[in-house]
Amino acid sequence: MAHLLSANLSRNPRCLRAEASIFAIAYSYKAGSFPTIGAATVSQYRPVVQESVITYEAGFKQELFDRSVLLTGAGFYYDYRNKQLRGFFDQPPFGTVFALDNVPKSTVKGGELAIVWRPVDGLNLSGAVTYVDAKIKKYSGLNSDGVFTDFAGDRVPFAPKWNASANADYTVPLGASLAVNLGASLTYNSSTQAAIGHDAVTKAVTYIKPFTTVDARIALQDADNAWQVQFWVKNLTNEYYWNNVAFLYDTAVRYAAMPRTYGVKTSFRF
């Protein structure tokens, strides 16, 4: 079930062409499930119940300076019930192991702002920043040491507070039939955790450090963009970071992200 309320406003000064604002409320569900893990006993496959969330969002879209700039922004608040998250489970004789569990109450609130700028023909610049405050409001269970803990106030795993990105694309004509496209992208994620918990062991072991990656590309293409041959590089600076951590018994396993990779891509339009 979802409800949507929107309002559109417009003005006509030289530097401000159009505005649009939207407010939306939605109520959504996620079906109950069970974990897909390697388990020692059937008790580790205990199911979780249905998850639900009420979302509130308000945003705007605005064109500036004769439509050379597009500015968009939004604020959001998600109110979860029984969110399905990875917790810990006591499994003798192995000790504390991962398990899927329901968090009775949690919230996600934040905002995002994005801008697209076309200063001259052929050049497109864009950037975005997002802030997320994802917190557990009510949940008690085992931490990574197997100690029963009240997790109220802890951060939701895999939810960095800050994410930012920037992108630049420039197309240069080469005569009447060809063009070269140059592009680069930057992405930043702040730190987060891979598991619920505020004790020293969980925070240290499941910590995922902040990271910044840079991608680049250069392409030769038809002037009408009917075909393109692109050489691309991802993680240009060969940044070393991990995107997941698993705490298994007395061992921490960190999953490293891809190093510098590169390749060629071709495309055709018919």
Side-chain angles (χ1 to χ4, degrees):
M1 180 177 66
H3 303 279
L4 176 65
L5 174 65
S6 64
N8 294 295
L9 305 173
S10 62
R11 307 178 192 173
N12 198 27
R14 178 178 175 81
C15 67
L16 181 60
R17 290 299 304 269
E19 289 182 353
S21 59
I22 296 176
F23 176 76
I25 303 175
Y27 194 17
S28 306
Y29 299 90
K30 180 180 178 181
S33 183
F34 57 89
T36 54
I37 57 175
T41 67
V42 70
S43 58
Q44 282 183 256
Y45 291 113
R46 59 183 183 178
V48 290
V49 301
Q50 175 180 268
E51 170 187 313
S52 65
V53 59
I54 303 177
T55 64
Y56 306 86
E57 296 189 28
F60 70 91
K61 177 180 178 181
Q62 187 168 278
E63 293 176 337
L64 303 167
F65 307 110
D66 291 328
R67 297 187 178 180
S68 66
V69 175
L70 175 63
L71 184 66
T72 59
F76 50 84
Y77 180 84
Y78 296 174
D79 189 4
Y80 283 94
R81 293 293 185 277
N82 291 316
K83 185 171 181 61
Q84 300 168 11
L85 288 177
R86 189 174 66 176
F88 293 101
F89 179 74
D90 186 24
Q91 181 58 72
F94 303 103
T96 306
V97 296
F98 281 123
L100 195 61
D101 207 356
N102 286 114
V103 174
K105 181 174 175 58
S106 59
T107 60
V108 178
K109 58 185 177 181
E112 55 188 359
L113 187 67
I115 187 170
V116 178
W117 182 29
R118 293 179 287 273
V120 295
D121 289 343
L123 178 60
N124 291 296
L125 304 174
S126 61
V129 60
T130 302
Y131 172 76
V132 174
D133 182 19
K135 291 287 183 65
I136 292 170
K137 298 299 183 179
K138 181 181 180 182
Y139 175 56
S140 296
L142 299 182
N143 66 12
S144 59
D145 282 335
V147 178
F148 191 79
T149 304
D150 182 359
F151 296 107
D154 282 15
R155 293 170 60 181
V156 173
F158 300 105
K161 283 190 175 182
W162 292 99
N163 172 271
S165 63
N167 184 78
D169 274 291
Y170 186 43
T171 302
V172 183
L174 295 178
S177 59
L178 295 175
V180 171
N181 178 263
L182 306 172
S185 302
L186 181 146
T187 302
Y188 167 79
N189 280 277
S190 64
S191 64
T192 186
Q193 285 182 211
I196 301 171
H198 57 267
D199 60 283
V201 173
T202 302
K203 293 180 70 174
V205 172
T206 68
Y207 175 76
I208 297 177
K209 67 177 183 177
F211 62 88
T212 302
T213 57
V214 178
D215 301 336
R217 55 202 174 270
I218 180 171
L220 180 67
Q221 63 190 43
D222 179 78
D224 296 325
N225 205 20
W227 58 266
Q228 185 184 79
V229 179
Q230 183 189 90
F231 174 73
W232 54 265
V233 181
K234 293 185 179 296
N235 195 4
L236 179 64
T237 61
N238 205 28
E239 173 86 357
Y240 175 76
Y241 64 100
W242 50 85
N243 49 29
N244 195 5
V245 180
F247 189 44
L248 307 174
Y249 317 126
D250 59 351
T251 304
V253 181
R254 293 185 170 94
Y255 295 84
M258 292 292 289
R260 182 190 298 116
T261 57
Y262 51 87
V264 177
K265 180 178 74 173
T266 60
S267 61
F268 300 89
R269 293 186 179 182
F270 299 96

